[in-house]
Amino acid sequence: MRKRLLSAVGAVLLLVGAVLLPAAPAMAAPSFKVPFPCGQSWSGQTRSDHSPAPAIDFNRTNDDGDPVVASAPGTVDVRTDLGNTSYGRYIRINHGSGYTTYYAHLSSFASGIGVGSSVGYGTVIGYVGTTGGSTGPHLHYEQRLNGSYAQVRFNGTLALYYGTKTYTSDNNCGGGGSATGTVNTSGIDLNVRSGPGTGYGVVGSVADGARVTIQCQTTGTTVTGTYGTSNIWDRIGAGRFISDTYVLTGYDGYIPGVPRC
């Protein structure tokens, strides 16, 4: 565990009341995974006459009712049922920095998953179905940036356009998932930033002693805080980051099993 060292510099940069620095450039896309449990293989089809064309339709034998999982950490911001039209039952996940994913034609939603739910790699969000404008069970999957349709990428690799390809999921294969930690700032609220660094804008705060769910971790600005000096930042929601050096996690460095953002 890191030694406790709360420096004046770290406090000025991170704690409430700090002077804001210019916003940093937009973050890179999350490392999106195939939206099915680890090891499963699915046939993904893209076609130019699809609506929208960049979307992928996923199928496999007897897939009606199979679980659908989050393809990257984020926060559910839409969970709705359009009935017999369009997407039918669908979920949208906000991954921060303008990135969202859509999961449509679901037969049902997973228990406990609603607007505001934090999800990580491998979190079950719903089940394959044929609701809405579907003519048979399948998952309609999209990735968007700032509301605009984007061609799908898994692990940074572009999906096949146009045609059919078998995709094997490595989603949460390492057993990774979220973790929890306790904020320790010696009584002062901790700023939550829109990205992993002190150059990103403040979007909220968390109280000293608060328990937080860490969806994933990434590198950013190096900060000296309660538990020493580190460049690790913890994502605690869509577009919400705090410096790991103010969080008691039980580990000195990255948390085993928690994915990189």
Side-chain angles (χ1 to χ4, degrees), residues 61-106:
T61 303
N62 298 322
D63 57 7
D64 194 11
D66 283 354
V68 175
V69 306
S71 58
T75 302
V76 174
D77 63 0
V78 175
R79 194 199 84 159
T80 193
D81 186 351
L82 300 179
N84 295 323
T85 63
S86 187
Y87 291 176
R89 292 189 183 94
Y90 81 94
I91 281 178
R92 183 176 73 186
I93 298 175
N94 184 338
H95 303 281
S97 301
Y99 291 95
T100 55
T101 49
Y102 286 66
Y103 310 77
H105 306 312
L106 301 175

Side-chain angles (χ1 to χ4, degrees), residues 31-35 70-72 121 141 153-155 169-172:
S31 180
F32 291 114
K33 305 288 187 180
V34 174
S71 58
Y121 288 114
Y141 173 82
R153 292 178 182 270
F154 296 122
N155 298 319
S169 175
D170 66 348
N171 196 326
N172 203 29

Side-chain angles (χ1 to χ4, degrees), residues 121-185:
Y121 288 114
T123 300
V124 177
I125 59 172
Y127 302 91
V128 173
T130 185
T131 59
S134 171
T135 57
H138 71 282
L139 176 70
H140 173 101
Y141 173 82
E142 298 176 20
Q143 293 174 2
R144 298 192 191 186
L145 175 58
N146 296 323
S148 297
Y149 305 123
Q151 289 191 320
V152 171
R153 292 178 182 270
F154 296 122
N155 298 319
T157 300
L158 185 67
L160 174 65
Y161 287 94
Y162 292 95
T164 301
K165 177 181 176 179
T166 297
Y167 297 87
T168 299
S169 175
D170 66 348
N171 196 326
N172 203 29
C173 284
S178 62
T180 58
T182 303
V183 173
N184 184 354
T185 56

